[in-house]
């Protein structure tokens, strides 16, 4: 079965390419490298021994995307491509709405042209509204989102759901990611954010490797055990395996199904700092800073549905997430550069 990964050179896309390939799927990658590096393809070849067909295209460009489908018999698509920086989305909302939604519309239109009926979409736990109670379950009310990035995820979920309803033989799986961290065990691929990282673990990694002096802990007065924010961190390899399970499920079903991909466990910022210190073998300097606007105290998944229906569950512990993150960061202090 041949699967197209839009945004397949990115952090989650590249790890998913590895897992799909190890399960015998053929992978085709489309990426415009706006937030990824072409060198990832060489690394993927080293890990898998396979050379994946690559299309350097913008997925919103229908003519370019049509060529991918003409040249490959694509049976399913995993749609990762999209802008994903929360803060940036607040500053340039139109470009987020234009790009993320256009890309999805073009993709589904071309899938329809070629009779491709299986779609897996990268959504996010950010679609759960502030009113939702913990742990977050798939059937809970969504929105209102706190930023345009989150709204694009929610709007795209709606577009896909409506399309699947109107086309009963179409199969869509929406995956709501919690906080992906870690890297492939080889240390060849990992997370490489542009500039100063916004997310916790990439920031800690840069402090650990000596590129940044200390971590700012955004608030220690939340109603959590140690006062710092609690999140559901998931190893990117576990997350990637969740996509393999989703593809198997999509191929055998129709309609839209939504799954959380998380561990179900909440870890605080300070617990993460301690786990990372163990992994890298030295102290991570930090300072308590004011709360970051838009942050919440707790966010973690009810991960039962994915286990019951997909037979998928996470395997990696927080210590293993930090070990693999450090393995990648220490071998590649400047990321892919
Ligand atoms: C954010 C986004 C989510 C996105 C995810 C990517 C929201 C509400 N959440 O999640 O949509 O999918 O990034 O992984 O928009 N922290 C610090 N210091 C730092 C960085 C973070 O203390 O330098 C704390 C935060 O306050 C939070 C925790 O670490 O408590 C995790 O933050 P982060 O990694 O940015 O992820 P989220 O905000 O949960």
């Amino acid at each position: 079965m041949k699967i197209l990964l839009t945004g397949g050179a990115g952090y989650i896309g590249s790890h998913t390419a590895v897992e799909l390939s190890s399960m015998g799927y053929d992978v085709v990658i489309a990426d415009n490298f706006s937030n990824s590096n072409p060198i990832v393809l060489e690394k993927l070849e080293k890990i898998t021994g396979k050379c994946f067909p690559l299309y350097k295209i913008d997925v919103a460009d229908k003519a370019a995307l049509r060529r991918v489908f003409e040249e490959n018999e694509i049976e399913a698509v995993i749609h990762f491509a999209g802008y994903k920086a929360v803060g940036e989305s607040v500053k340039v909302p139109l470009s987020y709405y234009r790009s993320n939604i256009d890309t999805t519309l073009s993709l589904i239109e071309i899938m329809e042209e070629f009779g491709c009926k299986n779609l897996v979409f990268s959504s996010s736990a950010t679609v759960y509204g502030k009113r939702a109670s913990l742990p977050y379950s798939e059937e809970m009310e969504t929105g209102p989102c706190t930023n345009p990035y989150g709204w694009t995820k929610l709007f795209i979920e709606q577009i896909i759901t409506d399309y699947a309803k109107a086309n009963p033989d179409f199969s869509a799986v929406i995956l709501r990611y919690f906080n992906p961290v870690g890297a492939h065990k080889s240390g060849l691929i990992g997370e490489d954010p542009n500039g100063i990282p916004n997310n916790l673990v990439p920031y800690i990694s840069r402090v650990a490797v000596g590129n940044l002096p200390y971590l700012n802990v955004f608030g220690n007065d939340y109603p959590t055990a140690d006062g710092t924010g609690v999140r559901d961190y998931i190893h990117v390899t576990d997350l990637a395996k969740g996509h393999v399970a989703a593809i198997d499920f999509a191929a055998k079903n129709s309609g839209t199904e939504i799954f959380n991909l998380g561990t179900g466990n909440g870890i605080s910022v300070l617990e993460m700092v301690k786990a990372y210190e163990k992994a890298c073998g030295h102290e991570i300097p930090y300072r308590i800073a004011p709360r970051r606007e838009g942050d919440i105290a707790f966010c973690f998944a009810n991960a039962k549905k994915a286990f019951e229906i997909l037979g998928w569950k996470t395997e990696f512990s927080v210590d293993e997430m930090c070990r693999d993150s450090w393995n990648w960061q220490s071998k590649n202090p400047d990321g892919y550069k």
Side-chain angles (χ1 to χ4, degrees), residues 86 124 126 146-147 149 178-180 198-201 203 215-218 229-231 233 269 292 294-296:
V86 172
S124 165
T126 195
T146 51
N147 55 76
Y149 156 76
F178 282 71
N179 291 56
N198 294 310
N199 298 120
L200 179 65
V201 173
Y203 203 105
L215 168 74
N216 287 301
V217 175
F218 296 142
V230 166
R231 296 291 182 274
Y233 298 93
V269 174
R292 184 173 64 178
D295 272 354
I296 48 177

Side-chain angles (χ1 to χ4, degrees), residues 7-16 18 35-37 39-41 43-44 47 84 180-194 201-202 205-206 235-237 276 321 323-337:
Y11 174 45
I12 301 169
S14 58
H15 287 80
T16 301
V18 170
N35 191 22
S36 60
N37 194 310
I39 203 168
V40 167
L41 272 295
K43 310 270 184 172
L44 289 176
I47 295 171
K84 60 171 189 180
V181 299
H184 187 260
K185 62 177 188 296
S186 63
L188 287 167
I189 55 173
E191 190 170 11
D192 182 24
N194 281 332
V201 173
S205 313
R206 297 277 178 92
H235 195 295
V236 66
T237 295
Y276 213 101
M321 297 177 205
R323 175 200 66 196
D324 292 343
S325 168
W326 175 240
N327 183 42
W328 152 254
Q329 193 68 53
S330 54
K331 284 180 177 155
N332 308 272
D334 299 312
Y336 290 115
K337 273 135 231 131

Side-chain angles (χ1 to χ4, degrees), residues 236-264:
V236 66
T237 295
D238 275 333
L239 190 77
K241 288 179 179 169
H243 291 73
V244 178
I247 279 289
D248 291 344
F249 178 86
K252 294 185 196 122
N253 291 277
S254 58
T256 303
E257 207 62 67
I258 300 177
F259 296 101
N260 284 338
L261 294 185
T263 64

Side-chain angles (χ1 to χ4, degrees), residues 102-134:
D102 254 8
T103 306
T104 308
L105 292 174
S106 294
L107 173 66
I108 300 175
E109 283 168 357
I110 294 292
M111 287 176 73
E112 182 170 73
E113 244 178 79
F114 286 83
C116 180
K117 295 183 190 310
N118 301 305
L119 175 64
V120 174
F121 173 60
S122 291
S123 190
S124 165
T126 195
V127 301
Y128 290 109
K130 276 190 171 165
R131 290 188 300 267
S133 53
L134 288 152

Side-chain angles (χ1 to χ4, degrees), residues 263-325:
T263 64
N265 302 318
I267 300 290
S268 76
V269 174
L270 292 181
E271 283 171 328
M272 190 53 97
V273 169
K274 289 280 159 274
Y276 213 101
E277 286 177 340
K278 213 164 25 157
C280 71
H282 59 81
E283 204 185 321
I284 307 286
Y286 69 83
R287 295 183 189 172
I288 304 298
R291 289 183 179 193
R292 184 173 64 178
E293 205 189 315
D295 272 354
I296 48 177
F298 293 95
C299 173
F300 52 90
N302 176 340
K304 269 196 199 132
K305 186 178 173 189
F307 178 62
E308 284 168 5
I309 298 182
L310 299 178
W312 169 90
K313 64 174 172 42
T314 57
E315 286 164 16
F316 291 92
S317 66
V318 173
D319 286 347
E320 289 165 321
M321 297 177 205
C322 293
R323 175 200 66 196
D324 292 343
S325 168

